[in-house]
Amino acid sequence: MSDKIWTAALVVIGDEILSGRTQDRNIAQIASWLQVQGIRLAEVRVVSDDEDAIVEAVNALRARNDYLFTTGGIGPTHDDITVDAVAKALGVDVVVHPDARAILERYYADKPGGLTEARLRMARVPDGAELIPNRISGAPGIRHGHLFVMAGVPHITAQMLDGLTGELEGGAPLITETVGCWTAESEVADILREVESAHDDCQIGSYPFFREGRVGANFVVRSTSAEVLASAVDTLCEALGEEGHDFTPGGI
Amino acid sequence: MSDKIWTAALVVIGDEILSGRTQDRNIAQIASWLQVQGIRLAEVRVVSDDEDAIVEAVNALRARNDYLFTTGGIGPTHDDITVDAVAKALGVDVVVHPDARAILERYYADKPGGLTEARLRMARVPDGAELIPNRISGAPGIRHGHLFVMAGVPHITAQMLDGLTGELEGGAPLITETVGCWTAESEVADILREVESAHDDCQIGSYPFFREGRVGANFVVRSTSAEVLASAVDTLCEALGEEGHDFTPGGI
């Protein structure tokens, strides 16, 4: 297994996210899925339904990451411009994919109106692309090399991700363990910093909360090595115990 | 009232968002608040707890927007590096703000440990900054000109936003009206495009859904002009009615 860290970036496309109308769920969903594939989500940009903005984000992020995902803007309406923008970013033409056309023909065969011109927009792909199956609504996702064009609707993207599971080359998955503590994080800041510095390939995140009228925090220890992770968690628990903090392995 | 469109950008800072552990809520919350102030959220970047990544995002986005917000990374622990990164982006020193120090002294006076060195980190600001009050946890937000440094915890950011309501210069707020329709959006794509083209200062977003075993969509019409909005909504409803679609003003 190589030590290379594989990274991905995500471009979330849609005025509905930037207007606050829709709460994005794709960032967390894709981040979690990537982690299982041994790929880190390194950065995300949310851009409006604007071709220049999409092209800029796609080109900036694909240049410095192993994989690039987009979500949103692949439906049949006038505000769905992702395919055109991605094709422009890649410098290729937009073509109708014959398999996508066949899928849509079957899907709309028994539906009112049949395969209209608007619906046929969903068969358009950047030249050279493969399809990512979508069992829910007919309109497929699109793969072009290391670039993946997914739906905006989270449960459609969820099952496109299912179809991609195990298909992408990744590195050692980041593994995590959580230690919860009924202590203000500011009281144990020194402990956290010291445990992290004492371990290579280890990051500790501190996530405070207020619950049942008490303050506490969960400390999430991350590493690609099970040994390093176990050692860091042991050292952390020992230090918390020595100072008399009320901590819970596994998190609160 | 000027016709200038005021824009803001947001940098969400935090490995917990990029790992998928935490579902971001600040994008939607800040977007909705900005809209009421007559300011459009134009773009968002989510970056890791990495100084270079934060500096790059802050400088790229503040250069082309009227306002810049950040969320996350202002707590007392080692992974809270937002203040240092923002100061570096602005080219100013980090200083301890005397009022922030006084606030923290009062807040921690009766708490175990008192004002430790770790907690005093939360009084550090980029030189020249003012404070944004935080009645919940003591640690204030930071305003430096048109740049606003907010908390990662959504309900703390919510009340920092409360304190800023009406303080920022904005333009005409974008107003919206929704029309719901029990029709696949692909069947009415032509209508949507035509109504939008026929009205200046008008955007129509189409948001499909699947509910109770039926497909439908909400069409969100946006404009800064109440007259244009009313005309576009009327034209849309008329066109949907003529084609026999089952639509609901106000949305479904």
Side-chain angles (χ1 to χ4, degrees):
Chain A
M1 184 176 292
S2 103
D3 282 346
K4 171 173 163 61
I5 292 171
W6 294 78
T7 68
L10 167 63
V11 181
V12 174
I13 297 161
D15 289 346
E16 73 276 22
I17 308 292
L18 291 172
S19 72
R21 182 180 184 279
T22 301
Q23 163 73 53
D24 169 78
R25 303 201 180 283
N26 282 319
I27 297 174
Q29 155 168 281
I30 290 176
S32 303
W33 180 85
L34 283 168
Q35 204 151 60
V36 177
Q37 318 305 311
I39 299 164
R40 287 192 203 172
L41 182 60
E43 48 187 330
V44 179
R45 295 192 187 176
V46 186
V47 299
S48 65
D49 298 324
D50 174 85
E51 189 170 275
D52 292 342
I54 301 170
V55 170
E56 182 198 310
V58 164
N59 278 337
L61 298 192
R62 76 189 178 99
R64 61 188 190 195
N65 289 281
D66 298 302
Y67 300 103
L68 180 69
F69 287 74
T70 71
T71 58
I74 62 166
T77 58
H78 65 287
D79 55 339
D80 292 309
I81 61 170
T82 299
V83 168
D84 301 84
V86 166
K88 191 170 173 186
L90 296 173
V92 301
D93 288 335
V94 174
V95 298
V96 170
H97 193 294
D99 294 349
R101 186 190 179 108
I103 291 167
L104 292 169
E105 272 168 358
R106 279 197 302 278
Y107 186 82
Y108 285 110
D110 59 351
K111 296 196 170 59
L115 184 53
T116 59
E117 201 177 324
R119 286 165 173 169
L120 194 55
R121 277 178 61 83
M122 296 187 283
R124 298 164 73 246
V125 303
D127 198 5
E130 303 161 56
L131 304 181
I132 304 170
N134 163 15
R135 289 185 304 272
I136 298 178
S137 71
I142 297 163
R143 174 177 187 164
H144 196 290
H146 284 189
L147 195 153
F148 300 83
V149 175
M150 318 292 275
V153 178
H155 72 276
I156 297 182
T157 285
Q159 70 76 22
M160 289 177 178
L161 290 173
D162 265 359
L164 287 175
T165 296
E167 297 283 310
L168 277 59
E169 184 172 2
L174 201 61
I175 48 178
T176 70
E177 206 162 314
T178 302
V179 178
C181 196
W182 288 107
T183 299
E185 59 170 359
S186 55
E187 285 192 45
V188 297
D190 291 344
I191 293 178
L192 300 178
R193 193 179 52 247
E194 282 158 19
V195 174
E196 189 184 87
S197 331
H199 293 83
D200 283 340
D201 179 25
C202 165
Q203 303 91 44
I204 305 182
S206 171
Y207 306 109
F209 57 76
F210 308 88
R211 255 181 245 167
E212 303 156 27
R214 298 166 70 194
V215 299
N218 280 303
F219 310 123
V220 178
V221 189
R222 303 183 179 95
S223 176
T224 57
S225 152
E227 266 174 68
V228 171
L229 184 65
S231 161
V233 169
D234 284 352
T235 314
L236 175 60
C237 291
E238 206 172 301
L240 291 173
E242 273 171 17
E243 291 197 2
H245 297 290
D246 177 9
F247 70 95
T248 309
I252 295 170
Chain B
M1 186 176 288
S2 103
D3 282 347
K4 171 174 164 60
I5 293 171
W6 294 78
T7 67
L10 168 62
V11 181
V12 174
I13 298 162
D15 289 346
E16 72 276 23
I17 307 292
L18 290 172
S19 71
R21 180 181 185 278
T22 301
Q23 163 72 54
D24 169 77
R25 304 203 179 282
N26 283 319
I27 297 173
Q29 155 168 281
I30 290 177
S32 303
W33 180 85
L34 283 169
Q35 204 151 60
V36 178
Q37 319 303 312
I39 300 164
R40 287 193 203 172
L41 183 59
E43 48 186 331
V44 179
R45 295 193 186 175
V46 187
V47 299
S48 66
D49 299 323
D50 174 83
E51 190 170 274
D52 292 342
I54 301 171
V55 170
E56 181 197 310
V58 165
N59 278 336
L61 298 192
R62 76 190 179 98
R64 60 189 189 194
N65 290 280
D66 298 302
Y67 300 103
L68 181 68
F69 287 73
T70 71
T71 58
I74 62 166
T77 59
H78 65 287
D79 54 341
D80 292 307
I81 60 169
T82 298
V83 168
D84 300 86
V86 165
K88 191 171 173 185
L90 295 174
V92 300
D93 289 336
V94 174
V95 298
V96 170
H97 194 293
D99 295 348
R101 188 191 178 106
I103 291 167
L104 292 170
E105 273 168 359
R106 279 196 302 278
Y107 185 82
Y108 285 111
D110 59 350
K111 295 194 172 60
L115 184 53
T116 59
E117 201 175 327
R119 287 166 173 169
L120 194 57
R121 277 178 62 83
M122 295 188 283
R124 298 164 74 246
V125 302
D127 198 5
E130 302 161 57
L131 304 181
I132 303 170
N134 163 15
R135 289 186 305 273
I136 298 178
S137 72
I142 296 163
R143 173 176 188 165
H144 196 291
H146 284 189
L147 194 154
F148 300 83
V149 176
M150 319 291 276
V153 178
H155 73 275
I156 297 182
T157 285
Q159 67 79 18
M160 290 178 179
L161 291 173
D162 266 359
L164 287 175
T165 296
E167 297 282 311
L168 276 61
E169 185 172 2
L174 202 61
I175 48 178
T176 70
E177 207 163 313
T178 303
V179 178
C181 196
W182 288 107
T183 299
E185 58 170 0
S186 57
E187 284 192 46
V188 297
D190 291 343
I191 294 179
L192 301 177
R193 193 178 52 246
E194 281 157 22
V195 175
E196 189 184 86
S197 330
H199 293 84
D200 283 341
D201 179 25
C202 164
Q203 303 92 42
I204 305 182
S206 171
Y207 307 110
F209 57 76
F210 308 88
R211 256 181 245 166
E212 302 156 29
R214 299 166 69 194
V215 298
N218 280 304
F219 310 124
V220 178
V221 189
R222 303 182 179 97
S223 177
T224 58
S225 152
E227 266 174 69
V228 171
L229 184 66
S231 160
V233 169
D234 284 353
T235 314
L236 174 60
C237 290
E238 206 172 301
L240 292 172
E242 272 171 18
E243 290 197 2
H245 297 292
D246 177 9
F247 69 95
T248 308
I252 295 169

